[in-house]
């Protein structure tokens, strides 16, 4: 067994997959370096340096075999942070090479493909919920800011939605769980990682809210209170449609 250690990036993972075939490692396992903590006398390790050319060659082959839709599915598996993500993606790539004329991601008789389908569905559902439940707050510097804590690392998957929807506003979305975010400056959206001393301020924004935001939040909360009809309240259905874990960032629930 050869264990390939990569830097945790998607490009690094594709480079590792390329090198599985380049060096004919069989059997092989791919693990992100930060998660590798156990050496074994029964396996050898191979350190992978991310190589854009090798990564692009794998992507090009995948696009030919399973199309952009299939690549999108594998990207969601990678962003799911599932402990088996690398194994599942390597399995899918291997099958796409063995059966280039078949859309292998629909071969649900295969347990790995079925697992990929389940993960993709879960990640897609989380992306949909982020589109619906992200709430921006206007800060004193006129930037609209939102905090999120998704179950999966979906921030890269929601950029296009918010960039298209709020093209005329500066906005920022920060993932509290993974400690990074996106900032849109009216031209492009870029990832950022705040310094340690800035993270506490990003968690608690009460003292840097714009005066308009404070007034609008009061109006929004009052509207919800006034339009609520206690006799028609169905808490089970409400929680089913709007899981409680999202409530703490919804203005109407504060």
């Amino acid at each position: 067994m050869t264990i390939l250690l990569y830097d945790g990036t998607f490009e690094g993972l594709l480079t590792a997959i390329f090198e599985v075939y380049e060096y004919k490692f069989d059997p092989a396992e791919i693990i992100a370096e930060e998660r590798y903590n156990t050496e074994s006398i029964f396996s050898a390790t191979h350190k992978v340096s991310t190589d854009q050319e090798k990564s692009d060659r794998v992507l090009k082959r995948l696009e030919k075999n399973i199309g952009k839709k299939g690549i999108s599915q594998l990207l969601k598996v990678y962003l799911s942070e599932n402990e088996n993500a690398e194994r599942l993606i390597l399995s899918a790539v291997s099958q796409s090479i063995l059966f280039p004329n078949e859309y292998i991601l629909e071969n649900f008789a295969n347990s790995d493909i079925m697992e990929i389908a389940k993960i993709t569905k879960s990640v897609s559902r989380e992306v949909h919920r982020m589109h619906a439940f992200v709430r921006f707050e206007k800060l004193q510097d006129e930037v609209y800011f939102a905090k999120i804590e998704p179950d999966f690392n979906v921030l890269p998957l929601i950029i296009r939605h918010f960039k298209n929807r709020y093209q005329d506003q500066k906005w920022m979305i920060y993932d509290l769980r993974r400690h990074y975010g996106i900032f849109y400056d009216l031209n492009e959206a870029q990832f950022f990682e705040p310094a340690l001393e800035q993270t506490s301020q990003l968690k608690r924004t009460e003292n840097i809210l714009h005066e308009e935001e404070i007034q609008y939040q009061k109006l929004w909360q009052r509207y919800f209170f006034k339009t609520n009809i206690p006799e028609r309240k169905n808490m089970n259905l409400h929680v089913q449609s709007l899981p409680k874990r999202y409530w703490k960032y919804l203005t109407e629930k504060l």
Side-chain angles (χ1 to χ4, degrees), residues 191-204:
F191 292 106
F192 70 92
E193 292 185 22
L196 185 61
E197 61 270 18
Q198 294 176 311
T199 56
S200 59
Q201 189 174 47
L202 291 175
K203 290 178 182 176
R204 302 184 63 83

Side-chain angles (χ1 to χ4, degrees), residues 58-241:
V58 175
L59 269 182
K60 190 175 179 181
R61 181 65 176 268
L62 283 174
E63 188 171 348
K64 181 180 178 182
N65 291 357
I66 60 175
K68 291 183 178 178
K69 178 185 173 184
I71 293 174
S72 174
Q73 285 183 260
L74 298 186
L75 178 62
K76 286 177 180 174
V77 173
Y78 165 74
L79 294 174
S80 72
E81 302 171 330
N82 185 292
E83 60 181 358
N84 296 315
E86 290 94 346
R87 182 183 62 76
L88 293 170
I89 294 172
L90 176 59
S91 173
V93 172
S94 301
Q95 292 181 59
S96 77
I97 292 172
L98 281 173
F99 308 104
N101 297 319
E102 299 178 17
Y103 189 70
I104 53 93
L105 293 178
E106 290 183 348
N107 178 21
F108 301 120
N110 181 284
S111 60
D112 287 345
I113 299 302
M114 178 58 82
E115 184 68 15
I116 286 172
K118 289 178 181 176
I119 292 172
T120 301
K121 185 176 180 181
S122 297
V123 174
S124 298
R125 186 188 299 121
E126 188 74 339
V127 168
H128 177 70
R129 285 174 169 169
M130 285 297 106
H131 290 170
F133 301 146
V134 165
R135 292 291 189 274
F136 288 96
E137 295 177 313
K138 188 176 183 179
L139 304 183
Q140 293 169 2
D141 60 2
E142 308 273 329
V143 172
Y144 288 84
F145 176 73
K147 293 171 281 192
I148 61 173
E149 285 184 274
D151 283 349
F152 309 110
N153 184 18
V154 297
L155 201 48
L157 301 175
I158 64 176
I159 295 176
R160 186 166 61 179
H161 171 83
F162 288 104
K163 189 177 176 183
N164 290 338
R165 189 167 184 179
Y166 302 114
Q167 297 179 28
D168 60 345
Q169 299 170 350
K170 291 183 179 180
W171 52 262
M172 184 188 302
I173 302 175
Y174 181 62
D175 186 334
L176 291 169
R177 184 176 296 183
R178 297 166 186 84
H179 311 297
Y180 82 105
I182 314 167
F183 175 64
Y184 175 68
D185 63 359
L186 301 180
N187 293 307
E188 58 182 342
Q190 294 185 328
F191 292 106
F192 70 92
E193 292 185 22
L196 185 61
E197 61 270 18
Q198 294 176 311
T199 56
S200 59
Q201 189 174 47
L202 291 175
K203 290 178 182 176
R204 302 184 63 83
T205 53
E206 297 89 346
N207 296 328
I208 56 173
L209 292 180
H210 195 284
E211 182 59 32
E212 288 180 2
E213 177 65 29
I214 297 171
Q215 297 303 320
Y216 276 123
Q217 287 193 6
K218 289 179 180 175
L219 281 173
W220 190 242
Q221 290 160 355
R222 184 176 174 80
Y223 167 78
F224 264 80
F225 177 76
K226 290 294 185 181
T227 55
N228 181 44
I229 303 175
E231 292 78 10
R232 299 183 65 181
K233 185 178 290 186
N234 184 337
M235 188 54 70
N236 289 335
L237 179 61
H238 184 62
V239 172
Q240 185 180 338
S241 304

Side-chain angles (χ1 to χ4, degrees), residues 17-46:
I17 291 172
F18 183 95
E19 295 190 358
V20 167
Y21 288 92
E22 182 181 20
Y23 298 115
K24 296 181 171 54
F25 293 135
D26 186 22
E29 182 178 2
I30 301 173
I31 303 176
E33 279 184 290
E34 64 180 12
R35 290 193 287 110
Y36 181 67
N37 51 23
T38 306
E39 293 191 14
S40 170
I41 60 173
F42 301 107
S43 60
T45 57
H46 171 81

